[in-house]
Amino acid sequence: MTIIDGKKISNEIKEELKIKIENAKSKGLGVPGLAAILVGENPASQVYVNSKKKACEKIGMNSVVEVLSEKTTETELINLVKKYNETEEFNGILVQLPLPSHISEQKVIEAISPEKDVDGFHPVNVGKLVIGLETFYPCTPYGIIELLRRYRIETAGKHVVVVGRSNIVGKPIANMLLQKKENANSIVTIVHSAAKDISQFTKQADILIAAIGKPKFITAEMVKEGVAVIDVGINRINSPESKRGYKIVGDVDFDSVSQKAAYITPVPGGVGRMTIAMLLQNTYNAFIKQKEI
Ligand code: GUN
């Protein structure tokens, strides 16, 4: 059994980007820039945005974080997005989700220029992804593809079962693996909460992608011997024995499932680590495209 090391792979990707950015800089092309916008005081969002900023700094990427009050109106936020659409030094724009309930996330996403949409959430980019055109891949699914690729886990002709149908993970990863392309070409099943018996599907998986948001939902009885398991879950559960009183677990019961799996991602240290690395990759890709290098 191999534990897929997301920390190691994400560090490799960041190192690769750091070198590419140094090269661009030394050629006088400038450096890529990311504009992140945070509305309100959601503590998890604050943590995410801060780690994105730190990651940019570490690889020599330019970044700005705009922190707006909870009371910001939809129009004010959209106007700020439009300002960054027109600001050449920022190649990527990210609006941290969730947004306060009085703001339409969809309208804000649609205000981002598709060329700067490094989350890959704009309907134009979603459409391009579905029909196999070049576009920004949403960061978490992109991270999953990189883990499979760098661990040389065959996807062509394999049965991938995706548990969960979110716009951020389930739908895009299913569509990406479905493409008739390298590092894809899988037989894909998406299963979700409406299924009477989820295990009937998960037992068939050569590659199982768990993105449900329920702690330790996938147990050993639900998988076959030799499966490759990708755990996207980040769930906080009470843990009186740990210092903070809680711990982070995935959607997979790691202890039991790892007894049967050939490959498995840990939580933490698996897919989560990859999301920021791929955001940096997308921002670099946006920079290259915009500079027409
Ligand atoms: N909130 C949770 N995940 C994400 C993400 O990938 N991008 C953005 N912008 N917000 C999020």
Side-chain angles (χ1 to χ4, degrees):
M1 192 270 296
T2 302
I3 294 181
I4 297 178
D5 190 344
K7 189 173 171 184
K8 175 172 148 253
I9 303 288
S10 63
N11 284 336
E12 280 172 20
I13 292 168
K14 287 190 236 172
E15 277 306 311
E16 291 162 15
L17 287 171
K18 191 175 173 191
I19 293 165
K20 288 181 184 165
I21 292 170
E22 278 163 9
N23 279 339
K25 199 175 175 181
S26 67
K27 285 185 193 149
L29 297 165
V31 299
L34 173 70
I37 304 173
L38 171 65
V39 185
E41 283 164 14
N42 179 322
S45 292
Q46 286 172 338
V47 171
Y48 288 140
V49 169
N50 284 332
S51 26
K52 287 167 185 174
K53 183 174 169 54
K54 267 195 206 141
C56 286
E57 283 164 7
K58 235 176 150 177
I59 65 163
M61 203 176 260
N62 193 10
S63 70
V64 62
V65 177
E66 296 268 7
V67 182
L68 307 181
S69 109
E70 187 84 29
K71 297 201 186 84
T72 304
T73 66
E74 189 175 277
T75 310
E76 284 167 340
L77 177 57
I78 288 177
N79 285 339
L80 184 63
V81 166
K82 287 183 177 163
K83 183 188 106 178
Y84 282 107
N85 282 343
E86 303 302 325
T87 311
E88 228 176 274
E89 64 179 298
F90 292 102
N91 311 96
I93 301 170
L94 173 143
V95 179
Q96 187 65 31
L97 305 178
L99 290 170
S101 55
H102 65 276
I103 300 178
S104 156
E105 290 187 351
Q106 200 54 38
K107 277 193 191 157
V108 173
I109 288 169
E110 289 181 31
I112 300 172
S113 158
E115 288 76 32
K116 294 194 175 185
D117 170 37
V118 285
D119 264 325
F121 293 165
H122 192 289
V124 165
N125 289 328
V126 176
K128 284 184 170 180
L129 182 147
V130 172
I131 61 173
L133 298 178
E134 193 186 316
T135 184
F136 293 110
Y137 294 142
C139 305
T140 302
Y142 193 4
I144 295 172
I145 297 282
E146 280 302 303
L147 288 177
L148 294 171
R149 185 172 78 82
R150 291 177 188 239
Y151 272 83
R152 299 181 198 285
I153 298 170
E154 181 63 77
T155 54
K158 300 295 177 188
H159 188 186
V160 177
V161 177
V162 179
V163 192
R165 55 177 154 178
S166 71
N167 290 340
I168 295 186
V169 183
K171 283 179 198 157
I173 191 64
N175 276 294
M176 287 156 80
L177 286 167
L178 186 62
Q179 303 300 323
K180 193 170 181 179
K181 282 186 182 171
E182 237 184 301
N183 308 308
N185 211 11
S186 307
I187 319 304
V188 181
T189 299
I190 308 180
V191 60
H192 49 76
S193 53
K196 283 211 179 72
D197 176 14
I198 286 184
S199 71
Q200 174 199 337
F201 300 96
T202 55
K203 275 179 197 161
Q204 297 177 38
D206 299 313
I207 299 172
L208 181 68
I209 300 177
I212 325 142
K214 289 189 181 154
K216 303 188 186 188
F217 182 83
I218 303 288
T219 56
E221 304 77 62
M222 298 170 74
V223 302
K224 74 175 178 191
E225 203 71 46
V227 62
V229 179
I230 306 292
D231 187 353
V232 184
I234 300 178
N235 308 293
R236 211 184 248 211
I237 61 165
N238 287 333
S239 168
E241 66 269 24
S242 37
K243 238 196 260 164
R244 300 181 202 146
Y246 68 86
K247 63 177 182 176
I248 302 293
V249 299
D251 290 350
V252 176
D253 178 26
F254 184 90
D255 292 340
S256 73
V257 174
S258 59
Q259 305 289 318
K260 280 174 105 175
Y263 294 90
I264 188 165
T265 61
V267 177
V271 175
R273 284 278 182 161
M274 296 296 291
T275 301
I276 292 184
M278 303 329 292
L279 172 70
L280 301 174
Q281 180 74 58
N282 275 344
T283 307
Y284 176 79
N285 294 350
F287 165 77
I288 294 296
K289 201 103 203 240
Q290 287 160 31
K291 294 272 176 191
E292 294 175 349
I293 300 171

